Amino acid sequence: MKKKKSPKFYTKNLEHIQRRSITLSESELIKIGFINSHQSLPLVVQPTVENLDLVDWLEVNQHLIETKLLKYGAILLRGFHLDTVTAFEQVCLTLCPNLFNDNGEHPRETISGNVYTPVFYPATKKLLWHNENSFNYHWPGKIFFGCRQPPIQGGETPLVDSRKVFELINPKIRERFIEKKIMYLRNYEYGLGLDWQTVFQTQDKAEVEAVCRENFIDFKWKDNGGLRTRSVRPAVVRHPQTGELTWFAQAQHWHTSCLDVETREALLSSFQEEDLPRNCYYGDGYPIENSVMEEICGIYQQLEISFPWETGDLLILDNLLTAHGRNSFVGERKLLVAMGEIMCFDREIL
């Protein structure tokens, strides 16, 4: 019979075995997919482990997120519990250190230096699709939305691939806009939206005029103390990194035919056309036909993709590649907004 080995034999041999820590690779810490098989927007990134430090992961994998964002135009970070202002802002700053800390044009509230509320707009109405600040000379390249509390019903943020909008618009209409561009007309009046003092953040008319000249905005002071501005901007833009052409416009927010019937009739009965709070034309000043706007809005409607918000979601948009809107909703809706990577039309126009 074989002699039984002493326990010391096993202990001695175990001393020569080195302990190894087993760690998951960076790719195994997250999973990437879509909300369902019928939707191509947004790309969804979720953790595969509990309590993954997203900021640490992003610092190592920022190139992955940037590459995916250029391909898909929208990325949803889900399951990372980003439902506080601090957590939301940390992630935004990690992905975009130069956040825009001026909420400027739109009626919204600043929550922190870099974080705002969404634009105030009646909950019963749909906010149509748009590329943020595409009517301005400067605009954000990236937009971040964070969900602190989804509403009881509705309130989704519809997404539309701006490259596909460009592809589907009738070529004749498309070429007309490429040639003529879009003229955005705005009247800053007391009691209708933000006044010029709020938007330009000054009481000094000379400062307003300097800003207008710097941003290629024609201006006229009105007898009632208000301000009228006109600015011509491209409708089609080439993405500086991908080289793709996108429909980058906000005419559907400004053209009177896109307003709901009640609002349109009230405005047209109260103002001369040149005194409307907002309106838009072809860049040469000729009216944009209602039928043209109907076709463009129909394409947006055809392409839009919506998903229900979940608490802690963070949505990243490439503002050139993806337009967004807001569906009507019931109940309280708490979202956070941050914008960054400010760009201008110097390089991006055709």
Side-chain angles (χ1 to χ4, degrees):
M1 294 180 65
K2 292 183 179 180
K3 188 176 180 181
K4 192 173 184 181
K5 291 186 173 85
S6 163
K8 292 182 179 180
F9 172 86
Y10 297 103
T11 305
K12 185 176 181 180
N13 280 274
L14 286 171
E15 291 174 356
H16 298 287
I17 300 176
Q18 294 182 348
R19 293 184 177 180
R20 293 188 305 166
S21 60
I22 300 175
T23 59
L24 294 172
S25 68
E26 293 294 333
S27 61
E28 291 176 311
L29 293 173
I30 57 102
K31 59 181 179 180
I32 299 177
F34 298 95
I35 292 177
N36 60 57
S37 60
H38 302 98
Q39 293 184 346
S40 57
L41 282 176
L43 186 72
V44 183
V45 176
Q46 296 175 281
T48 60
V49 296
E50 288 292 329
N51 302 316
L52 174 64
D53 190 316
L54 180 59
V55 171
D56 285 348
W57 186 87
L58 287 172
E59 287 177 348
V60 176
N61 295 276
Q62 187 159 354
H63 179 70
L64 172 66
I65 296 297
E66 292 288 344
T67 302
K68 296 292 187 184
L69 187 61
L70 288 175
K71 180 177 180 180
Y72 295 98
I75 295 176
L76 177 65
L77 303 177
R78 172 164 282 181
F80 294 98
H81 311 298
L82 306 173
D83 55 348
T84 67
V85 176
T86 300
F88 171 78
E89 189 170 13
Q90 284 179 338
V91 172
C92 295
L93 285 169
T94 302
L95 292 170
C96 187
N98 56 339
L99 291 179
F100 186 48
N101 59 5
D102 176 10
N103 65 31
E105 281 283 343
H106 303 289
R108 60 171 101 229
E109 290 182 359
T110 300
I111 297 176
S112 76
N114 299 308
V115 180
Y116 323 115
T117 62
V119 172
F120 293 119
Y121 197 74
T124 56
K125 297 181 179 180
K126 177 170 183 169
L127 183 63
L128 295 180
W129 327 268
H130 59 285
N131 304 88
E132 195 70 30
N133 278 356
S134 50
F135 59 90
N136 275 336
Y137 182 64
H138 294 91
W139 31 269
K142 287 189 175 71
I143 309 173
F144 303 89
F145 295 98
C147 181
R148 300 183 70 186
Q149 179 182 319
I152 297 172
Q153 179 182 330
E156 302 90 350
T157 299
L159 304 177
V160 178
D161 188 326
S162 297
R163 294 163 290 190
K164 293 183 178 178
V165 176
F166 172 79
E167 292 171 2
L168 292 179
I169 291 176
N170 184 305
K172 291 183 178 179
I173 294 175
R174 198 168 60 198
E175 291 304 315
R176 194 183 313 156
F177 276 102
I178 290 174
E179 177 189 353
K180 296 179 179 293
K181 305 180 182 180
I182 300 175
M183 176 190 289
Y184 296 97
L185 180 145
R186 182 166 180 179
N187 285 285
Y188 299 86
E189 305 283 3
Y190 300 102
L192 279 173
L194 299 180
D195 56 32
W196 61 263
Q197 292 91 337
T198 301
V199 171
F200 290 89
Q201 299 183 24
T202 182
Q203 301 286 330
D204 188 339
K205 290 185 177 181
E207 290 185 18
V208 173
E209 293 173 6
V211 171
C212 287
R213 293 188 186 98
E214 183 180 347
N215 290 274
F216 303 95
I217 300 171
D218 291 329
F219 61 89
K220 178 181 179 181
W221 295 106
K222 303 173 71 172
D223 294 339
N224 63 359
L227 172 67
R228 177 183 299 136
T229 62
R230 291 184 177 90
S231 52
V232 177
R233 309 298 186 206
V236 175
V237 175
R238 187 180 299 277
H239 196 286
Q241 291 169 276
T242 70
E244 297 167 290
L245 295 175
T246 76
W247 188 261
F248 189 70
Q250 213 156 321
Q252 56 277 10
H253 271 197
W254 295 62
H255 199 275
T256 55
S257 70
C258 299
L259 297 169
D260 63 85
V261 175
E262 182 181 357
T263 301
R264 182 171 64 249
E265 290 181 351
L267 288 173
L268 292 177
S269 64
S270 302
F271 298 95
Q272 298 292 325
E273 183 176 324
E274 65 176 6
D275 291 319
L276 288 168
R278 295 185 183 222
N279 204 352
C280 65
Y281 305 84
Y282 291 113
D284 57 9
Y286 280 87
I288 300 174
E289 302 86 346
N290 291 356
S291 59
V292 168
M293 292 309 305
E294 183 179 356
E295 176 175 334
I296 292 173
C297 287
I299 291 170
Y300 275 104
Q301 187 68 61
Q302 172 189 339
L303 293 174
E304 78 163 22
I305 296 174
S306 296
F307 64 92
W309 281 108
E310 293 183 6
T311 301
D313 281 350
L314 194 155
L315 178 66
I316 312 164
L317 300 184
D318 183 308
N319 190 34
L320 274 172
L321 300 179
T322 305
H324 66 279
R326 194 218 65 195
N327 287 339
S328 61
F329 62 92
V330 176
E332 191 171 13
R333 180 181 187 265
K334 293 183 180 180
L335 258 66
L336 304 171
V337 180
M339 296 177 281
E341 202 174 272
I342 298 304
M343 309 177 81
C344 71
F345 282 118
D346 280 345
R347 296 172 302 157
E348 287 71 31
I349 60 174
L350 290 174

